[in-house]
Amino acid sequence: MAENHKRRFLACVEEDRVSNLPEHLIGSILDRLRIQEVVRTSILSKNWRYKWTALTTLVLNEKFSKKFAKDGALGRDGFIRIINQLVLLNKGPISKFSLHIPEIYPDSFHEEVDEWMLFLSENSVRELIITNSSRRFELSSHVFCCSKLRKLRLKNCILRPPLEFERFSNLEDLYLKLIDFGAKDCETLVSVPQLKSLTMFQCTNIHNFNIEARKLNIFRITNLDAMYIPLLDRLLVTPSITILLCVIKPSEVRVGVERMNLTRMSSNLPNIRELTIDGHFLKFLTADKFPKWLPHALNSLRVLWLGCIRFGDLDQLHGALCLLRNSPNLERLWMWLRPVMRNDVAPASNHLESPDCLDQTLNWLRTVEVKHLEGSRPELLFIKLLLAYSPSLNKMTIEPSIDCDSDESGDIAVDIMRFPRASPKAKLIFVDG
């Protein structure tokens, strides 16, 4: 019996090929495991006791915090102790650090976060993700000392670039959500010479964030106050932008706030391939009325997303038609409609029924998606126009408004089915709202 146990033990030792792998391969394997599983490897043997301290990737995301909360281990001190052990006891460089701060704490612990940021800045972190679901706090200036950063994602923090800060030399991807740039007298110019993707959702005090990005390729910004247009104006002179998403706050739309208009935008976006723009921003751009033809057509544009568009508003309608008319290679159009006001029906309908309303064939348009269709006359006339001027259309998908009952949706479908189509293969698909 003892001999059999000995043979099985020796067989296990011989089959433990993982322990005999080179250290960099073992580290690569551990980086792909969940952090809980990595820590458990410390009980395998003396050889494995401290291997977790050489992790290069620490992902302490929402799944991680929920797991510990479920086990009752997420008291404030317990959470900080766990993070301290994982971060401050780490013996090697940390290339990726992702931290989710749960909302269960009434008090913030920004001092501890500052300490972690200092440690990371000294350990060549390349990817940093901080997602804060608790009370907003000011992120330490140590984050600006992370000179090796390539990817930075921050949510729900106060971020104040120091006045002496010069640049993120290696940063390629910057994602900022619910970030407050604080109130201060002087702007700090943040140079990001390698930045390719910039996303800013629901940020405030943007005028204090003066950024220079010459290689920007993807630019997304939402809930932009009109007073912060100078930031947008500055960044849209980057000719390499291929994807642009821009949504402005409706309460901030005021004619004449800034000099930006669609003519200027189009001249600065020669390589734009995908454009997302809402009706509020289209209306804002009418400070100078839309021309029929832009001096620089959007020849590279393939995908156009029109969000919260109200076809009863003549300014928004003119803007949408101008974009279509000047996008000769457009392939996909997506529209999210807003209800047409009763007083706007006649003027918008009259314009859509005029002979020269569009006067441009959309030769490459193949897919159209329409959401929240109410069935007003301007909406139906716009769809009729698309069907008549799109000889290559393959599919148009229409989702009625949730305010339409089944009978109203049926009547809308019947009306649209009767519209003439330039494309003999165009399919009309109606889906439930």
Side-chain angles (χ1 to χ4, degrees):
M1 183 70 69
E3 186 65 25
N4 288 338
H5 280 299
K6 184 177 180 180
R7 288 198 188 103
R8 283 199 293 270
F9 175 77
L10 291 173
C12 289
V13 171
E14 291 174 356
E15 291 176 3
D16 184 14
R17 299 179 180 178
V18 176
S19 296
N20 296 322
L21 289 173
E23 287 297 324
H24 72 279
L25 290 181
I26 293 178
S28 181
I29 293 172
L30 293 180
D31 281 337
R32 286 165 171 77
L33 299 177
R34 291 184 302 173
I35 196 69
Q36 299 97 314
E37 296 170 343
V38 174
V39 174
R40 289 194 190 106
T41 63
S42 63
I43 66 173
L44 294 177
S45 66
K46 290 182 179 180
N47 187 41
W48 283 84
R49 183 168 298 172
Y50 298 108
K51 287 191 182 295
W52 64 271
T53 64
L55 285 175
T56 60
T57 299
L58 292 178
V59 178
L60 314 173
N61 54 18
E62 190 171 0
K63 289 183 179 180
F64 171 83
S65 62
K66 283 184 176 180
K67 169 64 177 175
F68 279 87
K70 182 179 179 181
D71 295 342
L74 260 191
R76 181 183 182 279
D77 294 337
F79 182 77
I80 291 174
R81 185 173 61 253
I82 291 169
I83 306 300
N84 277 336
Q85 290 176 344
L86 291 170
V87 176
L88 303 181
L89 295 180
N90 196 286
K91 296 178 180 179
I94 299 176
S95 61
K96 176 179 178 179
F97 181 74
S98 174
L99 173 65
H100 171 256
I101 301 174
E103 60 182 348
I104 64 175
Y105 306 121
D107 299 320
S108 64
F109 41 90
H110 59 271
E111 292 181 0
E112 288 81 6
V113 177
D114 288 353
E115 187 175 1
W116 301 333
M117 292 300 101
L118 174 59
F119 181 85
L120 292 169
S121 68
E122 297 172 346
N123 281 268
S124 303
V125 63
R126 295 175 180 269
E127 183 174 342
L128 177 60
I129 303 171
I130 304 292
T131 305
N132 178 32
S133 297
S134 187
R135 184 179 302 170
R136 184 179 290 180
F137 64 93
E138 184 168 349
L139 195 62
S140 167
S141 60
H142 294 312
V143 69
F144 294 97
C145 298
C146 300
S147 59
K148 302 294 184 182
L149 271 180
R150 294 185 179 275
K151 182 176 182 179
L152 177 61
R153 299 174 69 92
L154 302 175
K155 177 184 175 182
N156 197 30
C157 304
I158 299 172
L159 188 66
R160 303 177 199 261
L163 293 177
E164 67 277 8
F165 180 74
E166 293 185 0
R167 63 172 58 194
F168 278 122
S169 298
N170 299 291
L171 192 64
E172 297 178 356
D173 187 345
L174 179 58
Y175 178 99
L176 304 170
K177 183 174 183 179
L178 295 170
I179 299 300
D180 184 358
F181 294 99
K184 57 186 179 182
D185 297 328
C186 301
E187 294 184 9
T188 301
L189 177 61
V190 178
S191 177
V192 276
Q194 301 302 322
L195 191 68
K196 295 180 176 63
S197 176
L198 172 61
T199 302
M200 302 177 73
F201 289 162
Q202 298 175 283
C203 295
T204 52
N205 287 314
I206 300 177
H207 59 286
N208 288 326
F209 186 60
N210 189 356
I211 186 171
E212 182 181 72
R214 301 288 185 182
K215 294 184 179 180
L216 194 62
N217 183 251
I218 300 172
F219 182 29
R220 304 183 182 96
I221 187 165
T222 66
N223 279 41
L224 176 72
D225 290 342
M227 64 181 294
Y228 303 148
I229 289 292
L231 171 70
L232 185 63
D233 202 25
R234 208 160 41 235
L235 289 172
L236 288 185
V237 300
T238 307
S240 58
I241 291 178
T242 60
I243 298 177
L244 172 64
L245 180 154
C246 192
V247 177
I248 196 169
K249 287 183 179 179
S251 61
E252 295 293 335
V253 177
R254 297 189 295 272
V255 174
V257 174
E258 285 292 338
R259 63 186 181 278
M260 177 175 287
N261 55 45
L262 189 58
T263 298
R264 178 168 178 170
M265 277 185 61
S266 65
S267 64
N268 290 331
L269 297 170
N271 298 305
I272 185 75
R273 294 182 57 84
E274 182 174 326
L275 173 63
T276 301
I277 191 169
D278 71 328
H280 304 304
F281 193 51
L282 277 176
K283 189 174 182 67
F284 175 81
L285 294 174
T286 60
D288 298 325
K289 294 298 182 181
F290 285 105
K292 188 169 186 178
W293 297 100
L294 297 174
H296 301 277
L298 300 171
N299 292 316
S300 298
L301 190 64
R302 299 293 188 273
V303 181
L304 176 61
W305 301 71
L306 297 175
C308 297
I309 187 83
R310 199 188 298 270
F311 286 132
D313 186 310
L314 280 176
D315 291 333
Q316 297 186 31
L317 177 59
H318 283 303
L321 291 171
C322 180
L323 287 173
L324 290 177
R325 188 182 297 114
N326 289 275
S327 304
N329 298 305
L330 189 68
E331 297 175 1
R332 181 181 178 188
L333 173 64
W334 182 94
M335 299 182 293
W336 182 328
L337 306 184
R338 295 292 302 276
V340 174
M341 301 301 177
R342 183 174 299 178
N343 294 336
D344 296 333
V345 171
S349 299
N350 291 337
H351 180 70
L352 286 165
E353 289 178 318
S354 60
D356 59 346
C357 175
L358 182 57
D359 62 12
Q360 173 66 31
T361 303
L362 307 175
N363 289 315
W364 299 102
L365 186 62
R366 292 182 172 86
T367 305
V368 176
E369 296 179 54
V370 183
K371 289 185 177 292
H372 305 301
L373 179 72
E374 192 182 48
S376 66
R377 183 160 181 77
E379 292 174 344
L380 295 180
L381 287 173
F382 195 89
I383 290 176
K384 183 178 181 180
L385 205 64
L386 291 176
L387 290 171
Y389 282 85
S390 306
S392 300
L393 188 67
N394 290 326
K395 181 173 69 173
M396 178 180 286
T397 304
I398 298 174
E399 178 183 310
S401 167
I402 57 175
D403 295 327
C404 295
D405 58 33
S406 56
D407 290 337
E408 290 174 322
S409 297
D411 292 340
I412 292 172
V414 170
D415 288 339
I416 294 177
M417 291 293 290
R418 291 172 176 165
F419 292 156
R421 310 173 203 176
S423 171
K425 56 184 179 180
K427 295 180 181 180
L428 294 179
I429 301 172
F430 296 86
V431 298
D432 294 331

